[in-house]
Each structure stands twice: as structure tokens, then as C-alpha cells.
């Protein structure tokens, strides 16, 4: 092997597919030098990408709303076939098809031992936690590519038990790398259980995944709020109630019309820091969703916040928001005894169980998020369409392996 093609950020609103070196069983220079680790990685594996997805988190970078440098490789939602392993890899083999958690984790540090793989201490010198192809996340090459290197492979890879079954269900299984566990994490940490009424803010792929996860967890009513009519129709397609936040009707009134009271048992923020206010023509107001979910959640509720919030946003509406300081009504949440769960989803906490749901036809996540296959060369157009609000989850098929 002599090369590798990967999707690269080229400036605000622009991505391209470029050729880079074929991956080696080595740690990125940022990680090895910054953490004083050996560069050689006999614990790693190289995967041939079967599928890799475009994520809303990638879109934040491509919009120029992070500090990502031009040339940043992209892609953290990875499913692939093992084609090479280091000498210390014992439990995955060539030919295995595996899901890769977007969190890179060593499996050896205190955080990993506590199950907090989203904040591993040994994969990023800048902060706890790392991810493939993401700004400030350790310099790991992205997975919107033909090939990718996965460190600590025995710990990070989730092997599918049957290759033929995996390929048959690949559009569902590809969601295990991020959005299905992330949506599930949002619903689970919001306390969704049998009979719950649930509000999910945002009908993008993570919001739709959270809504489907709430159904799996036994919610009696799942309400999805958004301003995009096509995305609201997608939420309705698998049994969700919806509210249109582009109207001037209050969110409380719209919820009351559905469940008979202006509050819900649990709420999920699947929007993050690029939130907008309510009503026609509303501008960006990054604390909107956080304040909404406190307003419409009952006293004592839990709030799941898988939506991304950043510490550096050069395109923010004010100086406070540029450093992630938002006008959150914390006093309201305190008065209502709310609890909050934020941060990266620890994918390994959920991915095996969710895999079993998919393999046994108990979850239809591809249908819920409208999984749509594209080629690697079509990735730039996929980003453009996703940025326009397409009600689709774009799944890149670099090698034509998806039926």
C-alpha cells in the first residue's frame, strides 16, 4: 500500500478529498512527544473503511465555528475491516469487521478503568479525551478515508460476530461508532424509562437517534423540536410527535397540546452551541436550548446534553460565547433540582448492547436517521447538502462494500 485518500477541511464551507500517506502502526507525533510515549504502536490495527459517516460535529468545523486549522483531516464515525495488526494485538484478526468508538481510549488509565473512555488521559496531551479527525483532539488522522489506524485495538474495536450479517445490516451498525450511543446516552442520562414523556431538542441525526433511543427505553411520548420541516417529517416517520420552533407559539404551549401539561419528564439537548432562538427569523442564541430544557422539564428531572459545546468559537455572536461562556439560567435549574450530564458519550458503555439490539431487529436506527449512502468523492457535496439542512445521515462508502 502506498497511499490513502481522506476528506480534509480547506477553510470555512470547504472540504476536499486529498491523498496522504498510507497509515502506519505509529502514534501521532503530538501524542507520542506530548505524552512521552513510544511512537511505535504494536497495539494498533489498520482498518480498510467499510463505512464512515458525516457528523454534525464535523460540520461545526467545516462552517469555521472551531479553531480547526486548514488541512485538518475529518471523520470520527468509523466502521472497517481489519487488514493489518501489530504484534501486541491478540483478540482481533484480519478480516474482522469492527465498529470503532469515536472516543480514542488507551484502556489502561484511571478514566478508562472507571468506564469514562471519553476522557482518557493517555491519548491527547492538550486535554483529557481524544477523537479521530477532530480539532484539539490529539492529532489523530480522520476516518473519512480509505484506511485508518486504530490504536489500542483490542480495547477500542467492537468486532461484529458474523461478517455476512454485519454487511447486511451495515447501515444500522455504522451508527454504533457515534450517533446511536450518543443519542442513547442523551436519553439514558436524562432518565428516560418506561412511560416517560420526553422532549428532544433538535431533529438532526443525533436528535433523531436520541428520539429512537428514548423509544427503545420505553418512553410513552417522544416530542422532537426543530425549525426544519423536512427533519420534523423524518421524526414523525418513526412515531415521534413534533413541534415547530419557527412559529411564534411558545414551546410550553406546544408541549401542553401534546401531553396535556406544559412539561415533560425528561429532556435532551441534541443541538449544542449553534442554537438559535425561537420564532420566524430568529438569530443565533447559544444558550436557548439549555434554557428551554430547564423550562419545560419537571422539577427533579435529569437533562441529557449530548449536543456539542466548545471552548473556542471564532464565529460566535459575542465575546463570551467565543470562549464557551453562555447565558444559562442556572438558577432555574438549581431551583428545580435538575441534574445535568454533559460531555462526550463514552461509546464503549453502550455500543455492545446497542449492537445486539440491531442484530436482533429490536432497533432500526438507519431508518430513524434516514441513512443515505454516498461515495468518498461525493463527500464535499454531502457536506454541502447536510449544511443546508438535508434530513439525511450521510454514510460514505469508500470501497463500494455497501450493498
Amino acid at each position: 500500500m502506498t497511499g490513502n485518500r481522506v476528506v480534509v477541511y480547506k477553510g470555512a464551507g470547504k472540504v476536499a478529498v486529498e491523498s496522504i500517506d498510507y497509515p502506519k502502526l505509529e502514534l501521532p507525533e503530538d501524542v507520542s512527544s506530548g505524552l512521552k510515549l513510544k511512537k511505535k504502536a504494536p497495539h494498533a490495527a489498520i482498518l480498510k473503511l467499510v463505512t464512515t459517516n458525516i457528523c454534525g460535529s464535523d460540520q461545526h468545523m467545516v462552517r469555521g465555528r472551531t479553531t480547526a486549522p486548514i488541512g485538518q483531516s475529518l471523520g470520527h464515525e468509523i466502521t472497517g475491516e481489519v487488514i493489518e495488526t501489530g504484534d501486541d494485538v491478540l483478540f482481533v484478526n484480519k478480516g474482522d469487521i469492527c465498529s470503532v468508538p469515536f472516543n480514542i481510549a488507551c484502556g489502561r488509565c484511571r478514566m478508562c478503568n472507571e468506564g469514562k473512555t471519553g476522557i482518557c488521559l493517555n491519548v491527547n496531551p492538550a486535554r483529557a479525551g481524544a477523537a479521530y479527525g477532530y480539532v484539539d483532539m490529539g492529532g489523530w488522522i480522520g476516518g473519512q478515508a480509505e484506511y485508518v489506524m486504530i490504536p489500542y485495538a483490542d480495547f477500542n474495536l467492537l468486532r461484529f460476530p458474523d461478517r455476512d450479517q454485519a454487511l447486511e445490516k451495515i447501515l444500522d451498525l455504522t451508527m454504533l461508532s457515534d450517533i446511536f450511543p450518543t443519542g442513547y446516552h442523551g436519553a439514558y442520562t436524562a432518565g428516560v424509562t418506561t412511560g416517560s414523556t420526553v422532549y428532544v431538542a433538535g431533529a438532526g441525526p443525533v436528535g433523531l437517534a436520541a428520539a429512537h433511543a428514548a423509544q427503545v427505553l420505553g418512553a410513552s411520548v417522544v416530542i422532537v423540536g426543530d425549525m426544519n420541516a423536512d427533519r420534523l417529517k423524518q421524526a414523525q416517520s418513526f412515531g415521534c410527535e413534533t413541534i415547530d420552533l419557527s412559529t411564534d407559539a411558545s414551546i410550553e404551549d406546544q408541549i401542553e397540546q401534546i401531553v396535556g401539561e406544559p412539561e415533560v419528564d425528561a429532556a435532551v439537548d441534541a443541538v449544542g452551541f449553534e442554537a438559535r432562538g425561537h420564532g420566524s427569523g430568529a438569530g443565533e442564541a447559544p444558550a436557548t436550548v439549555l434554557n428551554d430544557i430547564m423550562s419545560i422539564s419537571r422539577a427533579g428531572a435529569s437533562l441529557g446534553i449530548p449536543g456539542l459545546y466548545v471552548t473556542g468559537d471564532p464565529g460566535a455572536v459575542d465575546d463570551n460565547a467565543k470562549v464557551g461562556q453562555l447565558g444559562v439560567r442556572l438558577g432555574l435549574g438549581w431551583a428545580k433540582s435538575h441534574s445535568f450530564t454533559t460531555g462526550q458519550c463514552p461509546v464503549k458503555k453502550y455500543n455492545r448492547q446497542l449492537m445486539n439490539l440491531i442484530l436482533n431487529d429490536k432497533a432500526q436506527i438507519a431508518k430513524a436517521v434516514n441513512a443515505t449512502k454516498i461515495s468518498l468523492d461525493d463527500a464535499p457535496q454531502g457536506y454541502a447538502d447536510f449544511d443546508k439542512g438535508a434530513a439525511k445521515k450521510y454514510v460514505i462508502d469508500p470501497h463500494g462494500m455497501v450493498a
Side-chain angles (χ1 to χ4, degrees):
M1 298 290 183
T2 58
N4 184 22
R5 298 172 71 232
V6 62
V7 180
V8 174
Y9 171 61
K10 302 298 288 184
K14 299 177 183 177
V15 301
V17 181
E18 296 184 349
S19 294
I20 61 172
D21 291 338
Y22 182 78
K24 299 178 181 179
L25 298 176
E26 294 180 351
L27 298 180
E29 182 62 31
D30 291 2
V31 175
S32 61
S33 61
L35 292 170
K36 296 181 172 57
L37 300 174
K38 294 178 182 178
K39 190 170 180 64
K40 289 186 177 180
H43 48 74
I46 294 173
L47 269 58
K48 175 183 178 180
L49 272 293
V50 177
T51 53
T52 175
N53 315 324
I54 297 176
C55 179
S57 298
D58 300 319
Q59 199 74 61
H60 292 307
M61 284 190 291
V62 172
R63 289 190 188 116
R65 294 300 299 270
T66 72
T67 56
I70 291 175
Q72 168 76 55
S73 63
L74 300 174
H76 56 270
E77 299 192 10
I78 298 166
T79 306
E81 177 183 1
V82 177
I83 60 171
E84 183 179 348
T85 59
D87 291 341
D88 288 348
V89 177
L90 303 177
F91 304 112
V92 291
N93 301 294
K94 292 180 183 178
D96 288 343
I97 296 181
C98 303
S99 179
V100 184
F102 78 89
N103 328 105
I104 302 172
C106 72
R108 309 174 188 193
C109 70
R110 174 181 175 177
M111 293 297 103
C112 286
N113 280 317
E114 293 179 2
K116 301 172 183 175
T117 53
I119 45 174
C120 174
L121 303 176
N122 292 328
V123 287
N124 183 358
R127 64 179 71 179
Y132 305 91
Y134 212 85
V135 59
D136 296 331
M137 284 291 176
W140 301 88
I141 298 298
Q144 288 170 10
E146 294 174 319
Y147 304 94
V148 68
M149 187 276 288
I150 307 300
Y152 309 106
D154 282 327
F155 184 72
N156 284 306
L157 294 179
L158 174 66
R159 184 180 66 85
F160 300 138
D162 182 270
R163 179 186 176 91
D164 291 340
Q165 184 186 32
L167 290 174
E168 180 184 344
K169 294 180 177 292
I170 197 65
L171 288 179
D172 290 285
L173 294 171
T174 191
M175 306 305 167
L176 292 172
S177 58
D178 183 355
I179 67 163
F180 197 13
T182 293
Y184 189 93
H185 181 63
Y188 180 80
T189 57
V192 177
T193 187
T194 306
S196 296
T197 57
V198 184
Y199 174 68
V200 177
V206 170
L208 296 173
H212 186 45
Q215 294 173 331
V216 169
L217 285 164
S220 59
V221 180
V222 181
I223 306 166
V224 179
D226 204 291
M227 299 180 177
N228 182 315
D230 290 338
R231 289 182 170 181
L232 290 175
K233 288 178 183 176
Q234 181 60 30
Q236 292 166 357
S237 74
F238 60 98
C240 296
E241 301 288 339
T242 59
I243 59 175
D244 184 354
L245 299 174
S246 68
T247 69
D248 293 327
S250 75
I251 185 171
E252 290 86 355
D253 287 347
Q254 293 188 71
I255 286 174
E256 185 170 17
Q257 290 177 16
I258 296 169
V259 297
E261 57 183 350
E263 63 182 14
V264 292
D265 298 322
V268 178
D269 172 2
V271 177
F273 72 103
E274 288 193 62
R276 304 181 71 82
H278 300 165
S280 58
E284 189 170 310
T288 298
V289 173
L290 294 170
N291 290 327
D292 280 349
I293 61 176
M294 287 188 285
S295 296
I296 54 87
S297 295
R298 63 170 173 78
S302 298
L303 310 177
I305 309 174
L308 176 66
Y309 289 87
V310 297
T311 57
D313 175 9
V317 293
D318 56 48
D319 288 341
N320 284 333
K322 287 180 180 180
V323 295
Q325 186 171 314
L326 310 180
V328 178
R329 295 182 63 196
L330 187 59
L332 175 61
W334 190 95
K336 297 177 77 171
S337 293
H338 285 160
S339 60
F340 304 77
T341 301
T342 66
Q344 289 187 33
C345 164
V347 170
K348 281 177 62 66
K349 183 175 181 179
Y350 309 106
N351 64 350
R352 187 176 301 277
Q353 298 94 315
L354 296 177
M355 175 188 74
N356 289 337
L357 287 178
I358 290 169
L359 294 179
N360 290 283
D361 299 320
K362 297 298 191 294
Q364 289 77 42
I365 185 64
K367 176 184 175 183
V369 301
N370 195 15
T372 303
K373 183 183 73 167
I374 61 174
S375 70
L376 186 63
D377 288 323
D378 287 337
Q381 187 61 51
Y383 269 97
D385 292 344
F386 189 39
D387 192 48
K388 294 174 184 175
K392 299 177 180 180
K393 174 68 172 178
Y394 288 106
V395 176
I396 298 172
D397 177 14
H399 295 280
M401 296 180 71
V402 179

